[in-house]
Amino acid sequence: SALAPREQLAFFLNAYNALCVAHVLNAPPDLASILDLSTKETAIWDAPAGTLGGEVVSLNDVEHQNLRLVWAEPELHACIVCASTSCPDLASFAFSSEKLEAQMASRAEAWLSDQTKGCALERGGAVARLSRILLWFEDDFVEAGGALAFA
């Protein structure tokens, strides 16, 4: 809470990505999928991922409580990386409050223009194939005119 709002958003975007990458880096070298880090009791998204502000958090905690619940920013979905091939690519930079809007817009454009991850038009534009992220979090895109308009 000592951070300004845009600093908080940048912090939690970076924290999510770092915690997710840490899960993968701490995994056995033959890891085929991040989902393989789940146990019968706990999905990887709910497993302890690290400590933020003295509190142990999971990836779901950061995504849903610190990001989606606080920020009405559909672009944030393009900025967090779940370490799966269908998710947006990891940015080659850390998010910063001074450049945040441009960085988020850049990540959204890169994600949505990748026909294997974001959006692809088929049959001469008559059919749009959208990332499941746009479908799973459909409500997050309402203010942007809906998932299809956002894409």
Side-chain angles (χ1 to χ4, degrees):
S1 63
L3 299 175
R6 300 316 273 175
E7 291 172 331
Q8 288 178 30
L9 179 54
F11 172 81
F12 284 114
L13 292 172
N14 292 324
Y16 183 96
N17 290 337
L19 294 170
C20 189
V21 168
H23 270 311
V24 174
L25 290 176
N26 292 324
D30 61 344
L31 180 69
S33 167
I34 192 169
L35 296 175
D36 294 341
L37 298 175
S38 297
T39 66
K40 289 180 182 177
E41 298 80 28
T42 308
I44 187 60
W45 318 116
D46 295 318
T51 304
L52 298 177
E55 181 181 337
V56 175
V57 295
S58 69
L59 292 172
N60 268 343
D61 292 335
V62 177
E63 180 178 6
H64 301 296
Q65 294 175 16
N66 301 115
L67 288 169
R68 294 183 58 239
L69 186 65
V70 177
W71 305 98
E73 301 265 1
E75 292 86 359
L76 72 83
H77 292 286
C79 300
I80 57 175
V81 178
C82 71
S84 297
T85 57
S86 61
C87 287
D89 293 332
L90 180 64
S92 61
F93 53 82
F95 293 97
S96 69
S97 61
E98 299 82 18
K99 301 176 185 175
L100 194 55
E101 284 76 18
Q103 289 174 323
M104 291 178 74
S106 165
R107 298 311 309 149
E109 182 180 345
W111 171 50
L112 293 170
S113 66
D114 184 333
Q115 294 186 14
T116 65
K117 295 176 181 260
C119 176
L121 296 177
E122 300 172 350
R123 299 184 195 163
V127 175
R129 187 171 32 85
L130 302 176
S131 166
R132 291 190 183 272
I133 293 169
L134 293 163
L135 305 175
W136 292 331
F137 302 108
E138 182 177 10
D139 291 346
D140 292 359
F141 300 95
V142 170
E143 289 186 28
L148 188 57
F150 180 78

